[in-house]
Amino acid sequence: MNWLPFLSWLAGAYLAYYSALTLSDYLKNKRSPAADPAELTFTEDIQPKKIRHQPDKAESPPKQLVRADSAIIGSGGVSLKSLFGLCREEAVIYTRPVSF
């Protein structure tokens, strides 16, 4: 048997299997919900309503720009350029294996 007929039969088998599962689930859900007394079902008639957005009337102060360098240096990290420099100087201590 070649690959093409094998894959065609395999795809047909999967299609038949999942179609049967979907059909059985559809037929199970079509039954009345009172068929299983241990199953709880809830139905709610909720109608959505449109709400208009009302922006806040209080004006917020302008946000200050934060420099990216200060956040990196302030947290104990180094920039990417400095990291390559440290690797060239072999100043980086590996505590775990590095995977690429």
Side-chain angles (χ1 to χ4, degrees):
M1 181 182 271
N2 292 335
W3 282 104
L4 187 60
F6 172 72
L7 292 176
S8 299
W9 277 99
L10 187 64
Y14 273 112
L15 183 66
Y17 175 71
Y18 287 114
S19 297
L21 285 178
T22 304
L23 185 63
S24 69
D25 283 344
Y26 178 72
L27 292 176
K28 279 183 189 176
N29 289 337
K30 211 169 187 182
R31 286 190 243 155
S32 65
D36 186 14
E39 182 179 339
L40 295 176
T41 58
F42 300 97
T43 58
E44 296 182 29
D45 295 327
I46 298 175
Q47 298 296 324
K49 55 183 170 180
K50 190 171 187 173
I51 299 175
R52 291 189 178 184
H53 175 68
Q54 297 175 352
D56 294 335
K57 293 183 175 138
E59 293 183 21
S60 61
K63 296 180 180 178
Q64 297 177 354
L65 297 176
V66 179
R67 292 184 56 192
D69 294 339
S70 64
I72 294 172
I73 303 300
S75 64
V78 294
S79 66
L80 191 59
K81 186 176 181 181
S82 301
L83 179 65
F84 284 118
L86 290 172
C87 289
R88 272 189 231 108
E89 296 170 6
E90 296 182 4
V92 177
I93 300 172
Y94 298 106
T95 57
R96 289 184 271 169
V98 179
S99 62
F100 293 100

